[in-house]
Amino acid sequence: MSSCFNGGITVSLFGESHGRGIGVVIDNLPAGEEIDLDKIAGFMARRAPKKDGTSTMRSEKDIPEIMSGLYNGKTTGTPLSAVIFNTDQHSGDYGNISHIARPAHADYTGYLRYNGANDPRGGGHFSGRLTAPLCFAGAVCGQILAHRGITTGAHIKSIKNVTDESFDPVNITAEQLEAVKSRPFPTLSEEAERGMREVIENARMSLDSVGGIVECAAVGFPAGVGSPMMDGLENIIARLVFAIPAVKGIEFGNGFGCAELFGSENNDEFALKNGGIATKTNNHGGILGGISSGMPIIFRTAFKPTPSISRPQNSVDFKDMTEQELVIKGRHDPCVVPRAVPCVESALNIALLSALNDRP
Amino acid sequence: MSSCFNGGITVSLFGESHGRGIGVVIDNLPAGEEIDLDKIAGFMARRAPKKDGTSTMRSEKDIPEIMSGLYNGKTTGTPLSAVIFNTDQHSGDYGNISHIARPAHADYTGYLRYNGANDPRGGGHFSGRLTAPLCFAGAVCGQILAHRGITTGAHIKSIKNVTDESFDPVNITAEQLEAVKSRPFPTLSEEAERGMREVIENARMSLDSVGGIVECAAVGFPAGVGSPMMDGLENIIARLVFAIPAVKGIEFGNGFGCAELFGSENNDEFALKNGGIATKTNNHGGILGGISSGMPIIFRTAFKPTPSISRPQNSVDFKDMTEQELVIKGRHDPCVVPRAVPCVESALNIALLSALNDRP
Amino acid sequence: MSSCFNGGITVSLFGESHGRGIGVVIDNLPAGEEIDLDKIAGFMARRAPKKDGTSTMRSEKDIPEIMSGLYNGKTTGTPLSAVIFNTDQHSGDYGNISHIARPAHADYTGYLRYNGANDPRGGGHFSGRLTAPLCFAGAVCGQILAHRGITTGAHIKSIKNVTDESFDPVNITAEQLEAVKSRPFPTLSEEAERGMREVIENARMSLDSVGGIVECAAVGFPAGVGSPMMDGLENIIARLVFAIPAVKGIEFGNGFGCAELFGSENNDEFALKNGGIATKTNNHGGILGGISSGMPIIFRTAFKPTPSISRPQNSVDFKDMTEQELVIKGRHDPCVVPRAVPCVESALNIALLSALNDRP
Amino acid sequence: MSSCFNGGITVSLFGESHGRGIGVVIDNLPAGEEIDLDKIAGFMARRAPKKDGTSTMRSEKDIPEIMSGLYNGKTTGTPLSAVIFNTDQHSGDYGNISHIARPAHADYTGYLRYNGANDPRGGGHFSGRLTAPLCFAGAVCGQILAHRGITTGAHIKSIKNVTDESFDPVNITAEQLEAVKSRPFPTLSEEAERGMREVIENARMSLDSVGGIVECAAVGFPAGVGSPMMDGLENIIARLVFAIPAVKGIEFGNGFGCAELFGSENNDEFALKNGGIATKTNNHGGILGGISSGMPIIFRTAFKPTPSISRPQNSVDFKDMTEQELVIKGRHDPCVVPRAVPCVESALNIALLSALNDRP
């Protein structure tokens, strides 16, 4: 397999950036779950390009047409599929495809992998556009999680050297997670937003790009779900998060920071709380032994700067085997991080619903 | 599934710390590959407890007995399985199992997940002992990779605040990867070793523990292997690495560091080199779009401090629902990182062989 | 999973009979394979309803629109997907759905499985219409097999008590397999065609239906492909064939007949032939130990009579829990077997390409 | 994969006939299920060779040693594994392996599949001995099914031309299924037993072998379990049944017989019965649309005659490419069918528990 996640649910992505359409098939969903299409549109709008300078000016409508799996507004339990037709395509003369590898893109590796037969237009199947059906799937799963009292959300933790506050790993609430979704620029603090917008605008003006970190959380997820070893929550969240182009790292709880602590500092002591069991701190990020502890699930994921920059770059024509200077034309995001926020949520939503389904 | 990785090869782990035995079944291996059992023993010895104070004094022989899949010294191509019998067990009175959750362990989450039926002795299936069969599988896969000119290796990048040098992401060689394997304490620099040993010894003396970071690399892996989206190299390496207990994060190439760079700094320009294509820098860690670029594959993974510390800790008896003070007795590693080095290599070996097998 | 086959290739079916569309995603296809869309249309036309009285008069265009995975007439290697939009729908008043279980249909079992939330119109996801995207996938796989010198084909072995000749299990040729595809009614003998048409017409006139048997074969498939135990050729062919509604049995080689033979009669002796190894007889159907022997692969599959008949039947309203007389209205095939022939070929094509891909 | 079934549960088989041991890992079992080891031994004894002339005289103890997954007599929920050590091996001079293909065996196909590296001794991984761990897994799953009120059982329907009565597909009871298990020769009628024993003895005396048909059933399985398309009950039962060596066909309900009926004869009308819904007849074998109907699940499976016969046979040395006369020495069953009965039950048990687990 390559573009198909299979666990408690199956998510099969398809499509190329400039082909007829992109889409997804979601199999093994619970039946009879109400799905609010307006909310899905709202979710996906958070991923859509903004007109505020932070992303490409290319206009994508990206309205998913549901092909199957929804009847009378509810999931049928049989495969739910949706297609987003590609309409706004600027591919130029397709006969004259460049073979100069764009640095940090998959042009060269994809060419090798598919013996030159893959669709190179706009990145083809490697395009960030494939995150649109991922978000569709994530939005569907998120609504089903909500029916079970589970809320997920994410914010931009940093863009380059500008950092936002962090989620409170112990006390983060569903309300806080929802609140950040309604912000046009998903940070917790307005000061961070201002700083990040400035960094992005400066990058855009200097024909450059910047990366950043997204912090994501879930609350209300029941304790005792997941598995040790290969299909733990961390394993499947990581597997799904790395399906988002530009992700280069993931860490749970205090993550890489734990490597610098003593055990006595890092261990989260258990205590009774409101008649249940909780930990006083949440360095473990809500997952112990691959299984949920009942504490908020917290992780962060690192995004590299947009590979497409307008500055001239040195590269190689991998067909002619000659060194070439490359100038990438066209529209591109100076920073993908704001649009990546719902993508990370989607990976989490799919993983959590999969784990809930996967219990014997 | 829970303890079974399925890709181009299938790795099915089983066993509990104090049960009859632990082991692994590896399915879909290529047939006719010579396997050197002495080398496997050498590989696994790197994971075994050391007598130098850095790890538990518990003596584990951990000699895998091969049940199937090897004939005349070669893989048969049918499932290769091995069992490590548990011999040195100190479980005490099994009827008197504690239900006080050890902080940062899976006692409580495992109890919920398995309705109290899982084997709690010594951590059961959650025990670090399960990394022994993982290392067996990793050693087998590593030998098959070696037949294809591929070398993997790892070193301790840091223990608490003491850091080792880094692998040179562009010029790292097979010889360097092999060299670190022969060191009793797997760092690149002797100075780092001294500092790390001191930190570990201090932690041990103060009844505490420390964590760290392992850096892992592969050279000789052909370009063009892997897949976009769900089964990219990053996805499957991450899925396998998180099967190692105590891992809390993974990052590829420059990892989280990429979030602070401009695209113009982070992009790795392509150039001709020795008649082939290479990148001048290797921030991408040898993987673009989930597919190998031909550059060294590099990643780092964070390990939390050993959860078992001898200091009194506050916790909860999850059966009685009472708060309790907990004192963990018995032998435990003040730092798992030195022994984790071959485990991380194993995860990589399994992932890379799986990806090689998974090509249509 | 439920509607997703995952092996060396992944085939994910979706859709409901009266929903927006039905379709398929095929993942892990080899890249760069030329696909002739006219041939696909020809393949699918063999499944389409006929105007000759043997099948429903409902007009289905069933033209698949390819969404992705094809570029410049060749497979890209990334997921190939196609949608068939539903246009000719006669669902009547959807608010007034019957809960009287049609005998031999999945109305009742589907209702239980999906808690009443599945789409019941026209059979929903259980509809025979889902064999259209299955045939699309089968046609694509068949063309890729053809590039490797492999030909598959099938004919009607029997309708009720009228039987056709059998394929010669030793000497069947690609030409013979192709020849039967061009016949409007896929039998080997014209006499069988006449008798079968008569049986079908009689059933139609008496408001009844009939079943039959399809015999399917592959030639040119290389020896040594497949696996023992769970993923043998028989296992995966059977798994795929039972995805076709109305199939109740499958047998390979001489099948159930082998149970009445002595070993000395049933064993196929090996001999040299044209410089290679062949068996003198082919009771084993080209598969030994789950692996191809190089002899023609032969199997037969039994189809029950169309469940939808116009005669009154006794049944139960599973919502009201009352016994009811049921009269099924609308158009339906008196015999699905002629249209099932390419469906069986499709199951075989998918299985064989999957097995070819699945070699380490 | 090859020897690993993955569905709601995972069953990973390993081992070669003359290697160190054979065994199985069962993953994703429900936790806390009591397992009676004596009953498992009893189940497996039904598969063990008999001293009554119907099977090989080779003495197999085949006592599975449980390695993991069982604690205080209950499943832990983590992988349950068992090894059967091979003790009674008569492999002769291993350096002098024959390359003369035994007709109807996998010697030749296995040699091709594994490039000659597979273990050929005693059939290696293709040996019927691999059904011992399959039966272990089937026995475990059967006990868990029993906890849910589900009973499975099987009998010999025919040996060559001698037929037993059939299960009553509507009224078959758990008591009847249990009763046949206690018979030394699992037929419903004693007359059939006598006839079959005679046929087998005659075959043995004439250095020949015979095949037969096993009929298998489940009662108490809840309605509404299973899935349409790829993972229906028929699909997964078939996939598992074909893992048993010598199986050449499977049919559900009236199976191939349905092809000769009118729809009005074959359709099973629904009726109210004991406050629930039932069908008056059970031609559908308890499965409609891949989903259980609540009626008894019934299927039959055809076994070819034991390939190993003592008569001289013509064959080919596939290494020398010469035609050779072959005389198979050693002990072998004149008929595998009596011992196959619990194997077929095991396939069903695994499939049913998998389907129960696989519900979202």
Side-chain angles (χ1 to χ4, degrees):
Chain A
M1 280 184 280
S2 66
S3 301
C4 181
F5 171 83
N6 60 322
I9 59 172
T10 299
V11 175
S12 188
L13 294 165
F14 61 86
E16 282 108 4
S17 181
H18 289 61
R20 179 94 176 83
I22 59 180
V24 64
V25 183
I26 318 170
D27 200 355
N28 224 24
L29 286 176
E33 303 282 341
E34 269 189 66
I35 300 298
D36 181 328
L37 295 180
D38 286 340
K39 279 192 191 164
I40 288 183
F43 189 101
M44 295 186 71
R46 294 164 51 213
R47 182 208 153 271
K50 307 296 183 300
K51 310 240 172 211
D52 60 1
T54 61
S55 62
T56 167
M57 293 298 287
R58 174 175 167 182
S59 159
E60 299 182 64
K61 290 265 173 40
D62 287 353
I63 297 169
E65 289 189 33
I66 291 175
M67 294 291 137
S68 67
L70 207 64
Y71 176 63
N72 289 337
K74 293 181 181 172
T75 57
T76 60
T78 54
L80 175 59
S81 61
V83 175
I84 299 165
F85 291 93
N86 292 324
T87 50
D88 179 33
Q89 303 160 8
H90 293 244
S91 305
D93 181 354
Y94 295 166
N96 191 14
I97 290 293
S98 166
H99 293 98
I100 306 176
R102 291 172 301 162
H105 272 289
D107 303 337
Y108 170 58
T109 59
Y111 182 86
L112 292 177
R113 168 67 172 78
Y114 298 111
N115 303 316
N118 62 314
D119 181 347
R121 298 170 298 164
H125 189 59
F126 295 92
S127 167
R129 262 186 72 66
L130 267 288
T131 56
L134 182 74
C135 279
F136 174 81
V140 168
C141 293
Q143 292 194 23
I144 298 173
L145 291 174
H147 300 165
R148 288 148 178 73
I150 301 159
T151 305
T152 62
H155 72 110
I156 305 176
K157 181 68 190 73
S158 70
I159 300 280
K160 208 164 188 300
N161 56 340
V162 182
T163 60
D164 192 17
E165 298 161 16
S166 293
F167 285 144
D168 178 332
V170 172
N171 298 307
I172 172 81
T173 64
E175 290 68 33
Q176 290 167 330
L177 293 176
E178 290 298 347
V180 71
K181 289 178 191 168
S182 62
R183 286 176 49 77
F185 193 95
T187 53
L188 299 178
S189 92
E190 294 185 12
E191 190 188 332
E193 174 182 350
R194 278 191 299 275
M196 291 177 184
R197 284 189 184 273
E198 194 178 312
V199 163
I200 294 172
E201 178 63 12
N202 288 345
R204 194 176 70 79
M205 295 300 286
S206 54
L207 308 182
D208 214 329
S209 65
V210 286
I213 294 173
V214 171
E215 186 176 55
C216 189
V219 298
F221 194 72
V225 177
S227 281
M229 311 300 299
M230 301 297 185
D231 285 317
L233 290 178
E234 286 143 329
N235 309 61
I236 60 174
I237 293 170
R239 186 179 168 207
L240 279 154
V241 159
F242 280 109
I244 307 169
V247 169
K248 295 308 283 184
I250 187 168
E251 59 177 8
F252 293 84
N254 59 357
F256 277 84
C258 76
E260 297 183 29
L261 298 180
F262 284 115
S264 57
E265 297 168 311
N266 188 64
N267 284 359
D268 299 307
E269 291 189 328
F270 289 95
L272 295 179
K273 187 175 176 183
N274 304 330
I277 294 176
T279 56
K280 297 176 192 174
T281 48
N282 187 13
N283 292 323
H284 69 288
I287 305 171
L288 287 171
I291 300 169
S292 56
S293 70
M295 295 300 290
I297 292 172
I298 305 263
F299 67 94
R300 280 168 302 285
T301 183
F303 286 83
K304 67 183 178 187
T306 316
S308 293
I309 55 175
S310 300
R311 295 182 177 195
Q313 297 178 88
N314 295 310
S315 188
V316 163
D317 184 309
F318 48 79
K319 210 163 178 188
D320 294 351
M321 294 298 277
T322 54
E323 298 196 334
Q324 301 278 352
E325 192 184 78
L326 170 75
V327 177
I328 299 174
K329 288 172 186 162
R331 306 154 297 174
H332 38 75
D333 291 3
C335 184
V336 297
V337 181
R339 297 176 61 192
V341 165
C343 303
V344 176
E345 285 175 32
S346 292
L348 178 60
N349 290 348
I350 294 167
L352 294 185
L353 186 60
S354 179
L356 283 171
N357 264 10
D358 204 18
R359 289 178 292 182
Chain B
M1 279 183 280
S2 65
S3 301
C4 182
F5 172 83
N6 60 321
I9 60 172
T10 299
V11 175
S12 187
L13 294 164
F14 62 87
E16 282 108 4
S17 182
H18 289 62
R20 179 93 176 85
I22 58 179
V24 63
V25 184
I26 319 171
D27 201 354
N28 224 24
L29 286 176
E33 302 281 342
E34 268 190 65
I35 300 297
D36 181 328
L37 295 179
D38 288 339
K39 278 192 191 164
I40 288 182
F43 189 100
M44 295 186 71
R46 293 165 51 213
R47 181 208 155 271
K50 307 295 182 301
K51 309 240 173 209
D52 60 2
T54 61
S55 62
T56 166
M57 293 299 287
R58 175 174 166 181
S59 158
E60 299 180 64
K61 292 265 173 39
D62 287 354
I63 298 169
E65 289 190 33
I66 291 175
M67 294 291 137
S68 67
L70 207 64
Y71 176 62
N72 289 337
K74 293 181 181 171
T75 57
T76 60
T78 54
L80 175 59
S81 60
V83 175
I84 298 165
F85 290 93
N86 292 325
T87 50
D88 180 32
Q89 304 160 7
H90 294 245
S91 305
D93 181 354
Y94 296 165
N96 191 14
I97 289 293
S98 166
H99 293 98
I100 306 176
R102 291 172 300 161
H105 272 289
D107 302 338
Y108 170 58
T109 59
Y111 182 85
L112 292 177
R113 168 66 173 78
Y114 298 111
N115 303 315
N118 61 315
D119 182 347
R121 298 169 297 164
H125 188 60
F126 295 92
S127 167
R129 262 185 73 66
L130 267 289
T131 57
L134 181 75
C135 279
F136 174 82
V140 168
C141 293
Q143 292 194 24
I144 298 174
L145 291 175
H147 301 166
R148 288 149 179 73
I150 301 159
T151 306
T152 62
H155 72 110
I156 306 175
K157 180 69 190 73
S158 70
I159 300 282
K160 208 163 188 301
N161 57 340
V162 182
T163 60
D164 192 17
E165 298 161 16
S166 294
F167 285 143
D168 178 332
V170 172
N171 299 309
I172 172 82
T173 65
E175 291 67 33
Q176 289 168 329
L177 293 176
E178 289 299 348
V180 72
K181 289 178 190 167
S182 61
R183 287 177 47 77
F185 193 94
T187 53
L188 299 180
S189 93
E190 294 185 12
E191 189 187 332
E193 174 182 351
R194 277 191 299 275
M196 291 176 184
R197 284 189 184 273
E198 195 177 311
V199 163
I200 295 171
E201 179 63 11
N202 288 345
R204 194 176 70 80
M205 295 300 285
S206 54
L207 309 181
D208 215 328
S209 64
V210 285
I213 294 171
V214 171
E215 185 176 57
C216 189
V219 298
F221 194 72
V225 177
S227 280
M229 312 300 300
M230 301 296 186
D231 285 318
L233 291 178
E234 287 144 329
N235 309 61
I236 60 174
I237 292 170
R239 186 179 168 206
L240 280 154
V241 160
F242 279 110
I244 307 168
V247 170
K248 295 307 283 184
I250 187 168
E251 58 177 8
F252 292 85
N254 59 357
F256 277 84
C258 75
E260 298 183 28
L261 297 181
F262 284 115
S264 58
E265 296 167 313
N266 188 64
N267 284 358
D268 299 307
E269 291 190 329
F270 289 96
L272 296 179
K273 187 175 176 182
N274 304 329
I277 294 175
T279 55
K280 297 177 191 172
T281 49
N282 187 12
N283 292 323
H284 70 288
I287 305 170
L288 287 171
I291 301 169
S292 57
S293 70
M295 295 300 290
I297 292 171
I298 305 262
F299 67 95
R300 280 167 302 285
T301 183
F303 286 83
K304 68 182 179 188
T306 317
S308 293
I309 56 175
S310 300
R311 296 183 176 194
Q313 299 179 87
N314 295 308
S315 188
V316 163
D317 184 309
F318 48 79
K319 212 165 178 188
D320 294 351
M321 293 298 277
T322 53
E323 298 195 335
Q324 302 278 351
E325 192 184 78
L326 171 75
V327 178
I328 300 174
K329 287 172 186 161
R331 305 153 297 174
H332 37 78
D333 292 3
C335 183
V336 297
V337 180
R339 297 176 60 193
V341 164
C343 303
V344 176
E345 285 175 32
S346 292
L348 178 61
N349 290 348
I350 293 167
L352 294 185
L353 186 59
S354 179
L356 283 170
N357 264 11
D358 204 16
R359 289 178 293 182
Chain C
M1 282 183 280
S2 66
S3 301
C4 181
F5 171 83
N6 61 321
I9 59 172
T10 299
V11 175
S12 187
L13 294 164
F14 61 86
E16 283 108 3
S17 182
H18 290 59
R20 180 91 177 85
I22 58 179
V24 64
V25 183
I26 320 169
D27 200 355
N28 224 23
L29 287 175
E33 302 281 340
E34 269 190 63
I35 300 298
D36 182 327
L37 295 180
D38 287 339
K39 279 193 190 163
I40 288 182
F43 189 100
M44 296 187 71
R46 293 165 52 213
R47 180 208 155 273
K50 308 294 182 302
K51 309 242 171 207
D52 60 2
T54 60
S55 63
T56 167
M57 294 298 287
R58 174 176 166 180
S59 158
E60 300 181 63
K61 293 265 172 40
D62 287 354
I63 298 169
E65 289 190 32
I66 292 174
M67 294 293 136
S68 66
L70 208 64
Y71 176 61
N72 289 336
K74 294 182 180 170
T75 57
T76 59
T78 54
L80 176 58
S81 61
V83 175
I84 299 166
F85 290 92
N86 291 326
T87 50
D88 180 33
Q89 303 161 8
H90 293 245
S91 305
D93 181 354
Y94 296 166
N96 191 14
I97 289 295
S98 166
H99 293 99
I100 306 176
R102 291 172 300 161
H105 272 290
D107 303 339
Y108 170 58
T109 59
Y111 182 86
L112 292 177
R113 168 67 170 79
Y114 299 110
N115 303 315
N118 61 314
D119 181 349
R121 299 169 297 163
H125 188 60
F126 296 92
S127 166
R129 262 184 73 63
L130 267 290
T131 57
L134 182 74
C135 279
F136 174 81
V140 168
C141 293
Q143 291 194 25
I144 298 174
L145 292 174
H147 299 165
R148 288 149 178 72
I150 301 160
T151 306
T152 62
H155 71 111
I156 305 175
K157 181 68 191 72
S158 71
I159 299 282
K160 209 164 187 302
N161 57 341
V162 182
T163 59
D164 192 17
E165 299 161 15
S166 293
F167 285 143
D168 178 332
V170 172
N171 298 309
I172 171 80
T173 64
E175 290 68 31
Q176 290 167 330
L177 293 175
E178 289 299 347
V180 73
K181 289 178 191 168
S182 61
R183 286 178 48 76
F185 193 95
T187 54
L188 298 178
S189 94
E190 294 185 12
E191 190 188 332
E193 175 182 351
R194 277 191 299 275
M196 290 177 185
R197 283 188 184 273
E198 195 177 310
V199 163
I200 295 171
E201 178 62 11
N202 288 345
R204 194 177 68 81
M205 296 300 285
S206 55
L207 309 181
D208 215 331
S209 65
V210 286
I213 294 173
V214 171
E215 185 176 57
C216 189
V219 299
F221 194 72
V225 178
S227 281
M229 312 300 299
M230 301 296 184
D231 284 318
L233 290 178
E234 286 144 329
N235 310 60
I236 59 173
I237 293 171
R239 186 181 168 205
L240 279 155
V241 160
F242 279 110
I244 307 169
V247 169
K248 294 309 282 185
I250 187 168
E251 58 178 9
F252 292 85
N254 60 357
F256 278 84
C258 76
E260 297 183 30
L261 297 181
F262 285 116
S264 58
E265 297 168 311
N266 188 64
N267 284 359
D268 299 307
E269 291 189 330
F270 289 95
L272 295 179
K273 187 175 177 182
N274 304 330
I277 293 176
T279 56
K280 297 176 190 172
T281 48
N282 187 12
N283 292 324
H284 69 288
I287 305 170
L288 287 170
I291 300 168
S292 56
S293 69
M295 296 298 292
I297 292 171
I298 304 263
F299 67 95
R300 279 168 302 285
T301 183
F303 285 82
K304 67 182 179 188
T306 316
S308 293
I309 56 176
S310 300
R311 296 183 175 195
Q313 299 178 87
N314 295 310
S315 188
V316 163
D317 184 309
F318 48 81
K319 210 165 177 187
D320 294 351
M321 292 299 277
T322 54
E323 298 195 335
Q324 302 278 353
E325 192 183 78
L326 171 74
V327 178
I328 298 175
K329 287 172 186 162
R331 306 152 297 173
H332 37 76
D333 293 4
C335 183
V336 298
V337 181
R339 296 176 61 192
V341 165
C343 302
V344 177
E345 285 175 32
S346 292
L348 179 60
N349 290 350
I350 294 167
L352 294 185
L353 186 60
S354 179
L356 283 171
N357 264 10
D358 204 18
R359 291 178 291 182
Chain D
M1 280 183 280
S2 65
S3 300
C4 182
F5 170 83
N6 60 322
I9 59 171
T10 299
V11 175
S12 187
L13 295 165
F14 62 86
E16 282 108 4
S17 182
H18 289 60
R20 180 90 176 86
I22 58 179
V24 63
V25 183
I26 319 170
D27 201 355
N28 225 23
L29 286 175
E33 302 281 341
E34 268 189 65
I35 300 298
D36 182 328
L37 295 179
D38 287 340
K39 279 192 191 164
I40 288 182
F43 188 101
M44 295 187 71
R46 293 165 52 214
R47 181 207 154 273
K50 308 294 181 301
K51 309 241 173 208
D52 60 2
T54 60
S55 62
T56 167
M57 294 297 288
R58 175 176 166 180
S59 158
E60 299 182 65
K61 292 265 172 41
D62 287 354
I63 298 169
E65 289 189 33
I66 292 174
M67 294 292 136
S68 67
L70 208 63
Y71 176 63
N72 290 336
K74 295 181 181 171
T75 56
T76 59
T78 55
L80 175 59
S81 61
V83 174
I84 299 165
F85 290 92
N86 292 324
T87 50
D88 181 32
Q89 303 161 7
H90 294 245
S91 305
D93 182 354
Y94 296 164
N96 192 14
I97 290 294
S98 166
H99 293 98
I100 307 176
R102 291 172 300 162
H105 271 291
D107 303 338
Y108 171 57
T109 58
Y111 182 86
L112 292 177
R113 168 66 171 79
Y114 299 110
N115 304 315
N118 61 314
D119 181 348
R121 299 169 297 164
H125 188 60
F126 295 92
S127 167
R129 261 185 74 64
L130 267 288
T131 57
L134 183 74
C135 279
F136 174 82
V140 168
C141 293
Q143 292 193 24
I144 298 173
L145 291 175
H147 299 166
R148 288 150 178 70
I150 301 159
T151 306
T152 62
H155 72 111
I156 305 176
K157 181 67 192 74
S158 71
I159 300 281
K160 211 165 185 301
N161 56 341
V162 183
T163 60
D164 192 17
E165 298 161 17
S166 293
F167 285 142
D168 179 331
V170 172
N171 299 308
I172 171 82
T173 64
E175 291 67 33
Q176 289 167 330
L177 293 176
E178 289 299 346
V180 73
K181 289 179 190 167
S182 63
R183 286 177 48 76
F185 193 95
T187 53
L188 298 179
S189 94
E190 294 184 12
E191 190 187 333
E193 174 181 352
R194 278 192 299 274
M196 291 177 184
R197 283 189 184 273
E198 195 177 310
V199 163
I200 294 172
E201 179 62 12
N202 288 346
R204 195 177 67 82
M205 296 300 285
S206 54
L207 309 182
D208 214 332
S209 64
V210 285
I213 294 172
V214 171
E215 186 176 55
C216 189
V219 298
F221 194 72
V225 177
S227 282
M229 312 299 299
M230 300 298 184
D231 284 317
L233 291 178
E234 288 144 328
N235 309 60
I236 61 174
I237 293 170
R239 187 181 168 205
L240 279 154
V241 160
F242 280 110
I244 307 169
V247 169
K248 296 307 283 185
I250 187 168
E251 59 178 9
F252 292 85
N254 60 358
F256 278 84
C258 75
E260 298 183 28
L261 298 181
F262 284 116
S264 58
E265 297 168 312
N266 188 65
N267 283 359
D268 299 307
E269 291 189 328
F270 288 95
L272 295 179
K273 188 175 176 182
N274 303 330
I277 294 175
T279 57
K280 297 176 190 173
T281 49
N282 187 11
N283 292 324
H284 70 287
I287 305 170
L288 287 171
I291 300 169
S292 55
S293 70
M295 295 299 291
I297 292 170
I298 305 263
F299 68 93
R300 281 168 302 286
T301 183
F303 285 83
K304 67 182 179 187
T306 316
S308 293
I309 57 175
S310 300
R311 296 182 176 195
Q313 299 178 87
N314 295 311
S315 189
V316 163
D317 184 309
F318 48 79
K319 210 163 177 189
D320 294 350
M321 293 299 277
T322 54
E323 297 194 335
Q324 302 278 352
E325 192 183 78
L326 171 75
V327 178
I328 299 174
K329 288 172 184 159
R331 307 153 296 173
H332 37 78
D333 292 2
C335 184
V336 298
V337 181
R339 297 177 61 194
V341 165
C343 303
V344 176
E345 285 175 32
S346 292
L348 179 60
N349 291 349
I350 294 167
L352 294 185
L353 186 60
S354 178
L356 284 171
N357 264 10
D358 205 17
R359 291 178 292 182

